[in-house]
Amino acid sequence: MNAKVELETPLSAGAHELVMNRILNAPPARVFNLWQDRAHVARWWTPAGENGSPGNSTILDFDFRVGGLFRVAFKSPRSGDDMIIRCVYREIVPNEKLVFSFEWEKGMSLPVDMQVTVLFTPHGEKQTLLTFRHNGMPSETMCADHEQGWAAVFDNLARAVDALQA
Amino acid sequence: MEQDALSAVFGALADPTRRAILARLALGEASVNELAEPFDMALPSVSKHLKVLERAGLVVQGRAAQYRPRRLAPEPLREATGWLDQYRKFWEDNLDRMAAYLDELQRKEQGHERESGT
């Protein structure tokens, strides 16, 4: 069985990073191949429908190289709206590391720059520790006050919100 | 939180004057005049900022006829600072499917190995 492992706790609201870890019962090369091969990706990158019914995503673009595009269309399980995710590969180290930008091309509009980092590390003889990070900052261009920056804004707000609850 | 609502909150927070207004309201409700005091800014400008904050759901008005104090509505702020959480579910589901698919592939391979007697 594959295991979920929380080796790190998510950082505070100001830091905006999601961290998830899994131990998988296959060597890194096999797991990496699931992200590298278009036919494989089409079989798992598929939002499930309501009640776990089969997914409905379509890969629009799959260009697995630095600067290459990965675009996926699907229907929101909740609203049925058409959605498109657009990723651009930024770093590829075969069987070790994958970094790509992540944004909504359709279906959602979020003024945030997001990036995903996936690390594939050998775990024991035959397993892989998959370290997954999704982080993002509200786009700096949105912030009129560049000196302060969004990280500080959110830190201060998180503190203010906590104080309100006290 | 709906993405449009989140965009509205981020947009409202992107301006230092509006953040200062929110900081003042965090201390208690205030009238438009009271809010305008610290700024070297005409009243209509402050009202414009307040409208942006109200549209984002961050500020609400009282109902007294003559005096309409503004209050801070903290819920959108809380949701905005936690925007990343919605991606946790998205990725947990995605990684679950990847892991399940990996298991399926390996079961098939082991099945083939047994059949061919290797």
Side-chain angles (χ1 to χ4, degrees):
Chain A
M1 272 304 293
N2 298 312
K4 293 185 195 184
V5 180
E6 295 298 329
L7 294 184
E8 291 179 52
T9 51
L11 304 177
S12 68
H16 299 283
E17 184 167 75
L18 196 62
V19 180
M20 286 183 277
N21 301 301
R22 301 290 177 98
I23 291 177
L24 300 163
N25 282 325
R30 296 233 42 201
V31 182
F32 188 85
N33 191 236
L34 291 189
W35 293 75
Q36 173 179 41
D37 180 285
R38 179 175 182 150
H40 281 321
V41 173
R43 296 289 302 275
W44 64 265
W45 189 304
T46 308
E50 296 278 351
N51 310 315
S53 55
N56 54 48
S57 70
T58 308
I59 295 182
L60 303 173
D61 288 283
F62 194 90
D63 187 8
F64 195 81
R65 59 178 178 87
V66 174
L69 205 53
F70 169 40
R71 285 168 72 235
V72 168
F74 57 96
K75 283 202 190 302
S76 162
R78 236 177 333 172
S79 62
D81 291 340
D82 289 330
M83 313 192 84
I84 297 178
I85 289 175
R86 181 182 191 274
C87 302
V88 177
Y89 296 105
R90 293 210 172 127
E91 204 181 323
I92 298 175
V93 182
N95 307 330
E96 282 183 33
K97 183 177 186 183
L98 195 57
V99 181
F100 53 90
S101 63
F102 182 107
E103 65 178 322
W104 293 98
E105 186 180 303
K106 188 177 185 186
M108 285 213 212
S109 160
L110 197 59
V112 184
D113 298 325
M114 294 186 281
Q115 181 164 284
V116 173
T117 301
V118 192
L119 299 176
F120 306 77
T121 314
H123 182 87
E125 278 188 21
K126 296 183 186 175
Q127 292 180 312
T128 300
L129 170 64
L130 187 93
T131 307
F132 177 90
R133 308 175 106 92
H134 178 127
N135 64 40
M137 289 304 301
S139 304
E140 283 300 330
T141 49
M142 275 212 75
C143 195
D145 177 11
H146 289 285
E147 276 188 27
Q148 201 182 15
W150 277 111
V153 169
F154 274 85
D155 277 342
N156 293 336
L157 286 173
R159 267 196 289 271
V161 169
D162 286 343
L164 279 173
Q165 293 178 277
Chain B
M1 189 181 214
E2 290 300 322
Q3 295 310 302
D4 281 345
L6 198 58
S7 292
V9 172
F10 282 173
L13 296 176
D15 182 278
T17 304
R18 291 198 285 269
R19 291 199 297 277
I21 291 174
L22 287 178
R24 167 58 188 84
L25 289 174
L27 302 173
E29 65 181 31
S31 68
V32 178
N33 286 324
E34 286 170 316
L35 290 171
E37 237 187 280
F39 304 109
D40 188 17
M41 196 183 284
L43 219 48
S45 301
V46 176
S47 293
K48 255 198 234 165
H49 282 304
L50 279 172
K51 280 204 170 56
V52 173
L53 290 168
E54 282 165 17
R55 271 200 301 271
L58 289 164
V59 168
V60 292
Q61 285 190 35
R63 287 198 173 279
Q66 306 239 351
Y67 171 64
R68 289 185 165 235
R70 279 11 182 221
R71 270 186 304 112
L72 178 63
E75 199 49 47
L77 262 181
R78 255 183 238 123
E79 292 186 30
T81 53
W83 67 271
L84 198 51
D85 288 338
Q86 57 199 285
Y87 288 92
R88 174 177 295 281
K89 178 89 175 70
F90 174 88
W91 280 112
E92 276 187 1
D93 290 348
N94 227 6
L95 295 180
D96 279 346
R97 276 190 301 272
M98 183 208 57
Y101 179 57
L102 181 63
D103 279 345
E104 186 191 321
L105 285 175
Q106 293 187 280
R107 269 199 304 274
K108 281 187 186 157
E109 272 181 14
Q110 281 154 25
H112 286 318
E113 280 168 20
R114 270 197 287 278
E115 280 170 16
S116 61
T118 52

